[in-house]
Amino acid sequence: MTDLVYIGRALLSVSDKTGLLDLARALHDRGVELVSTGGTANALRTAGLPVKDVSEITGFPEMMDGRVKTLHPNVHGGLLALRDDDEHLLAMAAHGIEPIDLLVVNLYPFEATVARGGSYDDCIENIDIGGPAMIRAASKNHRFVNVVTDVQDYTALLAELDANDGATTFAFRQRLALTAYSRTAAYDAAVSAWMADTLGEVPRRRTFAGTLAQTLRYGENPHQAAAFYTDGSNRPGVATAKQWQGKELSYNNINDTDAAFELVAEFAPEDGPAVAIIKHANPCGVATGATLAEAYARAFDCDRTSAFGGIIATNQPLDGPTAEKISEIFTEVVIAPGADDAAKAVFAKKKNLRLLTTRTLPDPTAPILSFKQVAGGMLVQDKDTAGLPDLKVVTKRQPTEAEMADALVAWKVAKHVKSNAIVYVKDAATVGIGAGQMSRVDSTRIAARKAEDAAEAMGLAAPLTQGCTAASDAFFPFADGVEVLAGVGATCVIQPGGSMRDAEVIEAADRLGLAMIFTGQRHFRH
């Protein structure tokens, strides 16, 4: 097995020219011959570096607007030839093919073109052909060829050359090849996903790709290895946020922070401050208020016990008074679309609290895919981005204006609670949440018990479920669930409807004096 490979000749062809000149100078200083194409060659020549155009190697000029320049045996032969195979060496000599020991390529900015909303023709034009072909050739022949596809690896390459007197080790080339294959796979995944989205098709083969953001200490549990990858979508949230302080986010932190920010985004900032508190991916308190501090206090009061060590998201930039309130208990993460200096100063005293800020809120209605691994496959679906549906009052009693407002809040929150989900809301604040139960009746009882505990913690004579509105993420299969809701003080219920026993459920609501609203839309979340 060949180990050390000395670099005598390098082909550089990059779209992203970050660090290019420093790399090229360092290679030239080490006696490496530089070969290049188009704009890359011009940049090197302008910097005073000697460079040979690839057209001198191929004997053909770059043509068809640069679409055809490196797809030639003199290039691919130099990349693919096995240096310990006599027949390969004879073929190289017979056809005047010189070896290429280092390929430095990054691809046309297809992903960036899609992200900025490029036209169909613009996106097609930014699909690289020659680059992936060369990368795959060099990667396949990594016994003899180094392939660099990421600017981040320039420094590592030069350090490797310094450590081995101008050569690289096989292990180093293996790692470069892995990075290169991962890059072309991600690139093709981006193209195929864009095509599927553009055509509105379900592709025969579905691929997903991401860029490593960080390796994590562990996954959900210490015995599970984990890493965090970003998908390049630039959606506001934990993947694109700036972390101001605190230790590295854990797997569970990232998962819960995403859940919190996606929930609070349901509340438009122009409609007033809103705060969501998440624990183990479920809301334990959500509220609006005249100020962020008030919204936080009302969300906190829903379940003070669960809020300890939770994740907090706000729909408006964080201010000092709100930060002061949050700092009264231990909190893992706070994420907000901005934070003022006063808030940052308050949190600076809490070394274990992570503060994340984003440029804005995510659009809760933007189409996006979600996927879940199962044994032997992957489930893929549109994310639940449905907004408020057409509402239908099905009981004799119409909801009051206040009940209708609370119903809309409860419905937004129920969308983010694990099924079976029951949410009690009073005056635009959750007062009880029941999540993740096998029986919907159990969820109603757990939510009621949470409300009783909250009332005791606040020294109230009765739970705040008295006069509340309840939301259910799916229909009530029997009337018993509605009877439990009425028993804890709910006066209005919002639910999808659609049960075989809807008539019995509506009759029970009428008998108990409840107003009931059907949405015709459910929000299962498993």
Side-chain angles (χ1 to χ4, degrees):
M1 172 66 71
T2 302
D3 187 30
L4 290 178
V5 166
Y6 291 87
I7 297 179
R9 196 162 179 247
L11 172 55
L12 292 77
S13 181
V14 296
S15 291
D16 179 2
K17 294 177 175 55
T18 304
L20 169 67
L21 298 183
D22 289 340
L23 174 66
R25 286 193 188 96
L27 292 173
H28 173 67
D29 291 345
R30 289 167 173 78
V32 177
E33 179 187 10
L34 304 179
V35 180
S36 192
T37 63
T40 306
N42 290 336
L44 298 179
R45 199 167 284 118
T46 301
L49 290 165
V51 59
K52 179 180 289 186
D53 284 308
V54 76
S55 57
E56 296 180 51
I57 295 174
T58 63
F60 282 88
E62 293 185 18
M63 62 181 71
M64 300 178 186
D65 299 319
R67 286 188 171 201
V68 179
K69 52 190 174 188
T70 59
L71 297 169
H72 192 279
N74 283 358
V75 172
H76 285 269
L79 294 171
L80 282 166
L82 299 175
R83 316 298 165 78
D84 59 355
D85 186 306
D86 290 340
E87 289 189 10
H88 286 210
L89 295 176
L90 286 172
M92 292 176 73
H95 298 284
I97 298 172
E98 297 184 44
I100 299 171
D101 309 307
L102 167 65
L103 176 71
V104 180
V105 169
N106 55 57
L107 305 175
Y108 290 176
F110 175 81
E111 296 100 328
T113 304
V114 172
R116 64 173 171 78
S119 67
Y120 183 88
D121 288 345
D122 197 14
C123 291
I124 291 293
E125 196 58 33
N126 275 279
I127 298 175
D128 203 326
I129 303 301
M134 289 193 294
I135 289 170
R136 292 180 65 82
S139 298
K140 178 174 181 175
N141 202 25
H142 64 268
R143 280 179 59 201
F144 305 101
V145 180
N146 300 269
V147 53
V148 176
T149 59
D150 196 322
V151 172
Q152 296 181 48
D153 289 327
Y154 290 0
T155 301
L157 171 65
L158 297 177
E160 176 79 357
L161 295 177
D162 288 342
N164 297 286
D165 295 324
T168 62
T169 61
F170 179 67
F172 182 75
R173 296 191 300 279
Q174 281 183 307
R175 292 194 296 273
L176 290 180
L178 168 61
T179 301
Y181 277 126
S182 299
R183 178 64 188 114
T184 56
Y187 196 78
D188 285 340
V191 174
S192 65
W194 171 77
M195 287 290 289
D197 183 58
T198 300
L199 301 179
E201 296 281 346
V202 177
R204 187 172 295 126
R205 289 181 173 85
R206 170 74 74 173
T207 54
F208 301 94
T211 300
L212 181 65
Q214 65 183 94
T215 53
L216 303 172
R217 287 173 292 154
Y218 52 82
E220 285 185 284
N221 300 291
H223 61 275
Q224 294 171 267
F228 181 36
Y229 289 82
T230 58
D231 63 10
S233 66
N234 209 32
R235 182 177 175 85
V238 64
T240 55
K242 177 176 180 179
Q243 182 171 345
W244 293 90
Q245 64 171 71
K247 60 186 178 181
E248 188 176 85
L249 294 169
S250 70
Y251 180 99
N252 292 327
N253 290 154
I254 292 170
N255 187 53
D256 289 352
T257 302
D258 176 70
F261 207 51
E262 290 290 327
L263 191 165
V264 86
E266 300 278 357
F267 297 86
E270 58 269 23
D271 292 337
V275 172
I277 307 174
I278 294 287
K279 194 70 170 289
H280 299 304
N282 267 310
C284 57
V286 183
T288 64
T291 65
L292 270 182
E294 180 185 350
Y296 167 73
R298 301 182 76 218
F300 175 68
D301 284 341
C302 179
D303 188 347
R304 295 180 176 182
T305 300
S306 298
F308 185 87
I311 310 291
I312 296 171
T314 70
N315 73 336
Q316 294 181 355
L318 197 65
D319 55 41
T322 308
E324 291 283 3
K325 294 290 291 183
I326 291 172
S327 294
E328 292 175 2
I329 67 163
F330 170 60
T331 297
E332 288 274 9
V333 181
V334 178
I335 184 169
D340 65 20
D341 290 341
K344 293 173 186 174
V346 170
F347 285 152
K349 303 171 187 175
K350 299 283 185 176
K351 65 178 183 178
N352 290 325
L353 182 148
R354 291 88 147 190
L355 172 62
L356 306 180
T357 61
T358 65
R359 65 187 188 282
T360 185
L361 293 174
D363 178 358
T365 65
I368 188 172
L369 288 178
S370 67
F371 51 95
K372 179 179 181 180
Q373 186 177 13
V374 296
M378 189 83 73
L379 288 169
V380 181
Q381 66 173 348
D382 293 331
K383 185 176 179 179
D384 186 359
T385 57
L388 291 172
D390 294 330
L391 305 178
K392 180 182 178 182
V393 178
V394 295
T395 48
K396 296 174 182 176
R397 184 170 82 76
Q398 296 287 313
T400 66
E401 185 176 334
E403 287 173 334
M404 181 60 79
D406 283 346
L408 299 182
V409 171
W411 189 246
K412 289 178 180 179
V413 175
K415 175 180 172 182
H416 294 265
V417 178
K418 298 293 180 67
S419 299
N420 287 314
I422 294 292
V423 178
Y424 298 135
V425 169
K426 178 74 176 292
D427 298 330
T430 58
V431 294
I433 298 174
Q437 298 305 303
M438 292 70 74
S439 161
R440 193 160 301 279
V441 172
D442 285 343
S443 289
T444 64
R445 290 171 175 157
I446 288 172
R449 177 57 188 269
K450 289 283 188 179
E452 291 170 2
D453 292 344
E456 183 178 347
M458 291 187 285
L460 301 178
L464 290 175
T465 49
Q466 298 299 315
C468 76
T469 291
S472 173
D473 64 339
F475 63 65
F476 288 96
F478 302 99
D480 55 355
V482 175
E483 291 167 350
V484 173
L485 294 179
V488 301
T491 59
C492 180
V493 179
I494 183 169
Q495 59 128 324
S499 167
M500 292 176 59
R501 295 180 176 83
D502 272 350
E504 294 177 25
V505 173
I506 294 169
E507 187 279 329
D510 282 333
R511 173 169 45 84
L512 296 165
L514 302 182
M516 182 172 287
I517 305 163
F518 276 9
T519 66
Q521 175 192 89
R522 78 179 187 196
H523 282 310
F524 273 163
R525 189 177 183 88
H526 295 118

Tab-separated table of all heavy atoms in Angstrom, residues 159-190:
chain	number	residue	atom	x	y	z
A	159	ALA	N	-0.337	22.022	6.754
A	159	ALA	CA	0.288	21.441	7.945
A	159	ALA	C	0.751	20.014	7.671
A	159	ALA	O	1.831	19.584	8.132
A	159	ALA	CB	-0.697	21.461	9.112
A	160	GLU	N	-0.040	19.262	6.910
A	160	GLU	CA	0.326	17.894	6.549
A	160	GLU	C	1.578	17.889	5.683
A	160	GLU	O	2.488	17.055	5.879
A	160	GLU	CB	-0.844	17.235	5.807
A	160	GLU	CG	-0.574	15.831	5.295
A	160	GLU	CD	-0.679	14.749	6.360
A	160	GLU	OE1	-0.910	15.084	7.540
A	160	GLU	OE2	-0.513	13.567	6.011
A	161	LEU	N	1.660	18.822	4.739
A	161	LEU	CA	2.848	18.903	3.879
A	161	LEU	C	4.087	19.251	4.686
A	161	LEU	O	5.182	18.707	4.462
A	161	LEU	CB	2.625	19.926	2.771
A	161	LEU	CG	1.536	19.602	1.745
A	161	LEU	CD1	1.376	20.746	0.744
A	161	LEU	CD2	1.853	18.306	1.021
A	162	ASP	N	3.924	20.166	5.634
A	162	ASP	CA	5.060	20.547	6.479
A	162	ASP	C	5.526	19.381	7.345
A	162	ASP	O	6.727	19.205	7.592
A	162	ASP	CB	4.670	21.732	7.367
A	162	ASP	CG	4.558	23.031	6.581
A	162	ASP	OD1	5.100	23.097	5.465
A	162	ASP	OD2	3.906	23.973	7.087
A	163	ALA	N	4.573	18.585	7.814
A	163	ALA	CA	4.907	17.476	8.705
A	163	ALA	C	5.576	16.324	7.963
A	163	ALA	O	6.241	15.481	8.587
A	163	ALA	CB	3.646	16.977	9.415
A	164	ASN	N	5.404	16.273	6.628
A	164	ASN	CA	5.912	15.131	5.865
A	164	ASN	C	6.802	15.549	4.699
A	164	ASN	O	6.860	14.860	3.682
A	164	ASN	CB	4.735	14.294	5.349
A	164	ASN	CG	3.904	13.682	6.456
A	164	ASN	OD1	4.324	12.732	7.099
A	164	ASN	ND2	2.727	14.255	6.680
A	165	ASP	N	7.461	16.699	4.856
A	165	ASP	CA	8.419	17.175	3.842
A	165	ASP	C	7.810	17.244	2.440
A	165	ASP	O	8.398	16.768	1.465
A	165	ASP	CB	9.667	16.280	3.820
A	165	ASP	CG	10.451	16.350	5.125
A	165	ASP	OD1	10.508	17.450	5.715
A	165	ASP	OD2	10.967	15.308	5.566
A	166	GLY	N	6.600	17.804	2.358
A	166	GLY	CA	5.964	17.990	1.062
A	166	GLY	C	5.092	16.840	0.608
A	166	GLY	O	4.637	16.828	-0.543
A	167	ALA	N	4.846	15.880	1.486
A	167	ALA	CA	4.017	14.717	1.140
A	167	ALA	C	2.814	14.632	2.070
A	167	ALA	O	2.739	15.320	3.092
A	167	ALA	CB	4.844	13.438	1.227
A	168	THR	N	1.887	13.767	1.704
A	168	THR	CA	0.727	13.499	2.566
A	168	THR	C	0.651	12.009	2.834
A	168	THR	O	1.107	11.182	2.029
A	168	THR	CB	-0.588	13.945	1.907
A	168	THR	OG1	-0.787	13.197	0.699
A	168	THR	CG2	-0.579	15.428	1.602
A	169	THR	N	0.048	11.651	3.949
A	169	THR	CA	-0.113	10.248	4.312
A	169	THR	C	-1.416	9.700	3.741
A	169	THR	O	-2.339	10.441	3.404
A	169	THR	CB	-0.139	10.085	5.834
A	169	THR	OG1	-1.258	10.819	6.356
A	169	THR	CG2	1.144	10.597	6.469
A	170	PHE	N	-1.499	8.385	3.653
A	170	PHE	CA	-2.697	7.732	3.138
A	170	PHE	C	-3.904	8.043	4.025
A	170	PHE	O	-5.010	8.293	3.524
A	170	PHE	CB	-2.468	6.221	3.057
A	170	PHE	CG	-3.664	5.468	2.551
A	170	PHE	CD1	-4.105	5.622	1.243
A	170	PHE	CD2	-4.339	4.585	3.379
A	170	PHE	CE1	-5.205	4.914	0.772
A	170	PHE	CE2	-5.446	3.884	2.922
A	170	PHE	CZ	-5.875	4.042	1.615
A	171	ALA	N	-3.690	8.033	5.336
A	171	ALA	CA	-4.804	8.314	6.245
A	171	ALA	C	-5.357	9.722	6.008
A	171	ALA	O	-6.579	9.939	6.045
A	171	ALA	CB	-4.347	8.166	7.700
A	172	PHE	N	-4.473	10.665	5.744
A	172	PHE	CA	-4.912	12.034	5.469
A	172	PHE	C	-5.711	12.083	4.164
A	172	PHE	O	-6.772	12.713	4.080
A	172	PHE	CB	-3.706	12.967	5.377
A	172	PHE	CG	-4.049	14.401	5.138
A	172	PHE	CD1	-4.572	15.200	6.147
A	172	PHE	CD2	-3.864	14.968	3.876
A	172	PHE	CE1	-4.896	16.524	5.913
A	172	PHE	CE2	-4.180	16.295	3.637
A	172	PHE	CZ	-4.705	17.081	4.653
A	173	ARG	N	-5.227	11.377	3.146
A	173	ARG	CA	-5.940	11.374	1.861
A	173	ARG	C	-7.288	10.671	1.977
A	173	ARG	O	-8.249	11.038	1.305
A	173	ARG	CB	-5.070	10.730	0.777
A	173	ARG	CG	-3.790	11.508	0.484
A	173	ARG	CD	-3.080	11.001	-0.769
A	173	ARG	NE	-2.689	9.607	-0.703
A	173	ARG	CZ	-1.588	9.147	-0.094
A	173	ARG	NH1	-0.763	9.993	0.528
A	173	ARG	NH2	-1.300	7.849	-0.106
A	174	GLN	N	-7.372	9.680	2.829
A	174	GLN	CA	-8.655	9.013	3.065
A	174	GLN	C	-9.680	10.003	3.637
A	174	GLN	O	-10.842	10.041	3.209
A	174	GLN	CB	-8.488	7.843	4.043
A	174	GLN	CG	-7.910	6.581	3.430
A	174	GLN	CD	-7.845	5.471	4.453
A	174	GLN	OE1	-7.276	5.644	5.550
A	174	GLN	NE2	-8.427	4.327	4.131
A	175	ARG	N	-9.232	10.798	4.605
A	175	ARG	CA	-10.153	11.769	5.216
A	175	ARG	C	-10.586	12.810	4.195
A	175	ARG	O	-11.745	13.237	4.173
A	175	ARG	CB	-9.498	12.426	6.430
A	175	ARG	CG	-9.277	11.468	7.600
A	175	ARG	CD	-8.961	12.223	8.882
A	175	ARG	NE	-7.715	12.958	8.802
A	175	ARG	CZ	-6.519	12.445	9.081
A	175	ARG	NH1	-6.415	11.168	9.447
A	175	ARG	NH2	-5.431	13.187	9.000
A	176	LEU	N	-9.643	13.243	3.338
A	176	LEU	CA	-10.008	14.195	2.292
A	176	LEU	C	-11.034	13.587	1.330
A	176	LEU	O	-11.976	14.257	0.903
A	176	LEU	CB	-8.769	14.626	1.513
A	176	LEU	CG	-7.744	15.514	2.231
A	176	LEU	CD1	-6.580	15.828	1.287
A	176	LEU	CD2	-8.381	16.813	2.731
A	177	ALA	N	-10.847	12.319	0.995
A	177	ALA	CA	-11.772	11.651	0.073
A	177	ALA	C	-13.166	11.538	0.698
A	177	ALA	O	-14.182	11.718	0.010
A	177	ALA	CB	-11.238	10.276	-0.303
A	178	LEU	N	-13.216	11.228	1.986
A	178	LEU	CA	-14.507	11.167	2.676
A	178	LEU	C	-15.220	12.510	2.597
A	178	LEU	O	-16.412	12.590	2.259
A	178	LEU	CB	-14.301	10.763	4.138
A	178	LEU	CG	-15.522	10.924	5.048
A	178	LEU	CD1	-16.680	10.074	4.574
A	178	LEU	CD2	-15.153	10.607	6.487
A	179	THR	N	-14.492	13.580	2.898
A	179	THR	CA	-15.079	14.919	2.818
A	179	THR	C	-15.551	15.225	1.401
A	179	THR	O	-16.621	15.810	1.199
A	179	THR	CB	-14.055	15.981	3.268
A	179	THR	OG1	-13.659	15.712	4.616
A	179	THR	CG2	-14.641	17.381	3.189
A	180	ALA	N	-14.774	14.803	0.425
A	180	ALA	CA	-15.103	15.081	-0.972
A	180	ALA	C	-16.357	14.330	-1.405
A	180	ALA	O	-17.257	14.904	-2.041
A	180	ALA	CB	-13.926	14.699	-1.867
A	181	TYR	N	-16.436	13.044	-1.086
A	181	TYR	CA	-17.630	12.278	-1.451
A	181	TYR	C	-18.872	12.814	-0.735
A	181	TYR	O	-19.969	12.853	-1.298
A	181	TYR	CB	-17.440	10.801	-1.130
A	181	TYR	CG	-16.700	10.032	-2.198
A	181	TYR	CD1	-15.572	9.287	-1.891
A	181	TYR	CD2	-17.140	10.055	-3.523
A	181	TYR	CE1	-14.884	8.575	-2.864
A	181	TYR	CE2	-16.464	9.344	-4.505
A	181	TYR	CZ	-15.335	8.611	-4.173
A	181	TYR	OH	-14.664	7.917	-5.148
A	182	SER	N	-18.689	13.227	0.509
A	182	SER	CA	-19.805	13.808	1.248
A	182	SER	C	-20.282	15.088	0.572
A	182	SER	O	-21.486	15.378	0.517
A	182	SER	CB	-19.389	14.100	2.693
A	182	SER	OG	-19.006	12.920	3.364
A	183	ARG	N	-19.317	15.856	0.041
A	183	ARG	CA	-19.681	17.108	-0.616
A	183	ARG	C	-20.465	16.864	-1.900
A	183	ARG	O	-21.497	17.506	-2.141
A	183	ARG	CB	-18.418	17.929	-0.931
A	183	ARG	CG	-18.706	19.238	-1.669
A	183	ARG	CD	-19.527	20.170	-0.790
A	183	ARG	NE	-19.988	21.358	-1.497
A	183	ARG	CZ	-21.264	21.634	-1.764
A	183	ARG	NH1	-22.207	20.788	-1.406
A	183	ARG	NH2	-21.600	22.741	-2.373
A	184	THR	N	-19.992	15.949	-2.727
A	184	THR	CA	-20.722	15.699	-3.974
A	184	THR	C	-22.085	15.073	-3.699
A	184	THR	O	-23.061	15.353	-4.405
A	184	THR	CB	-19.910	14.805	-4.928
A	184	THR	OG1	-19.563	13.582	-4.284
A	184	THR	CG2	-18.661	15.514	-5.405
A	185	ALA	N	-22.165	14.239	-2.665
A	185	ALA	CA	-23.465	13.656	-2.301
A	185	ALA	C	-24.432	14.738	-1.856
A	185	ALA	O	-25.606	14.751	-2.245
A	185	ALA	CB	-23.271	12.620	-1.193
A	186	ALA	N	-23.944	15.662	-1.018
A	186	ALA	CA	-24.795	16.754	-0.546
A	186	ALA	C	-25.214	17.662	-1.703
A	186	ALA	O	-26.348	18.158	-1.748
A	186	ALA	CB	-24.054	17.568	0.518
A	187	TYR	N	-24.301	17.874	-2.626
A	187	TYR	CA	-24.586	18.724	-3.782
A	187	TYR	C	-25.684	18.109	-4.644
A	187	TYR	O	-26.660	18.767	-5.014
A	187	TYR	CB	-23.302	18.904	-4.592
A	187	TYR	CG	-23.309	20.038	-5.594
A	187	TYR	CD1	-23.137	21.355	-5.177
A	187	TYR	CD2	-23.468	19.786	-6.943
A	187	TYR	CE1	-23.112	22.394	-6.083
A	187	TYR	CE2	-23.438	20.824	-7.874
A	187	TYR	CZ	-23.263	22.131	-7.432
A	187	TYR	OH	-23.234	23.167	-8.338
A	188	ASP	N	-25.537	16.820	-4.927
A	188	ASP	CA	-26.563	16.138	-5.715
A	188	ASP	C	-27.896	16.083	-4.972
A	188	ASP	O	-28.965	16.167	-5.583
A	188	ASP	CB	-26.102	14.717	-6.057
A	188	ASP	CG	-25.036	14.699	-7.144
A	188	ASP	OD1	-24.927	15.698	-7.882
A	188	ASP	OD2	-24.316	13.701	-7.251
A	189	ALA	N	-27.823	15.939	-3.643
A	189	ALA	CA	-29.059	15.942	-2.846
A	189	ALA	C	-29.773	17.285	-2.960
A	189	ALA	O	-31.003	17.344	-3.074
A	189	ALA	CB	-28.738	15.640	-1.383
A	190	ALA	N	-28.989	18.370	-2.935
A	190	ALA	CA	-29.588	19.706	-3.056
A	190	ALA	C	-30.243	19.887	-4.418
A	190	ALA	O	-31.349	20.452	-4.523
A	190	ALA	CB	-28.518	20.775	-2.830
